[in-house]
Amino acid sequence: MSWDVLLLRIPEGVTAIDQIPDDIPATPLGSRDDILAAISRVAPEANLSDPTWGQLNGEDWSMEFNIGSDDPVDSVMLHIRGGGDDMENVMFGVAGALNCQVIDCSGGDVLTPENGSSGWRAFQEYRDQVIGT
């Protein structure tokens, strides 16, 4: 079970994914090489040997970067597992390097460093309840 967040370039001022008009075309984040370079700058220890699916292990968490095979890349999905808040440094760091926003897939909200922890903590509480720990 993972907490999934989407890195996506969306119009300024949007606070939830359902506020994006359907007729606005996706703005690419960049070429695959640009994406891999941004991840490497923020998290040099990330395993990017598969350029479509990267992996990073923190002390108490893991993160997968679902980059996909399209080039240019429109979005990157992060699959995050574990606990602890230091993974947010990577999540928001990569988003900043790509000049995009972080969207919590469980609720569709745009996350910021100020509100990002609430979605992560809610996921952990739900996960712990479901698996019985």
Side-chain angles (χ1 to χ4, degrees):
M1 178 179 278
S2 64
W3 183 49
D4 299 331
V5 298
L6 183 65
L7 304 183
L8 184 67
R9 197 163 289 147
I10 58 176
E12 198 70 32
V14 170
T15 60
I17 196 80
D18 61 0
Q19 296 174 351
I20 301 172
D22 292 336
D23 60 346
I24 293 184
T27 303
L29 298 177
S31 70
R32 180 177 296 107
D33 288 343
D34 293 340
I35 306 306
L36 296 173
I39 294 170
S40 293
R41 280 192 307 275
V42 173
E45 64 279 11
N47 177 349
L48 301 172
S49 58
D50 178 347
T52 66
W53 193 276
Q55 298 179 342
L56 176 64
N57 292 314
E59 188 171 323
D60 297 318
W61 52 268
S62 66
M63 182 180 296
E64 295 173 326
F65 302 88
N66 184 349
I67 300 163
S69 58
D70 292 343
D71 198 352
V73 177
D74 288 334
S75 64
V76 175
M77 181 72 76
L78 304 181
H79 306 284
I80 305 167
R81 296 173 180 83
D85 291 338
D86 61 330
M87 63 81 190
E88 289 186 0
N89 295 331
V90 174
M91 180 176 74
F92 288 115
V94 172
L98 296 174
N99 192 30
C100 67
Q101 290 75 28
V102 179
I103 300 167
D104 183 344
C105 292
S106 60
D109 296 324
V110 175
L111 302 177
T112 65
E114 293 75 32
N115 73 2
S117 294
S118 61
W120 175 231
R121 288 194 185 109
F123 162 77
Q124 291 175 80
E125 288 175 19
Y126 173 76
R127 176 204 59 207
D128 293 348
Q129 179 184 7
V130 168
I131 63 172
T133 58

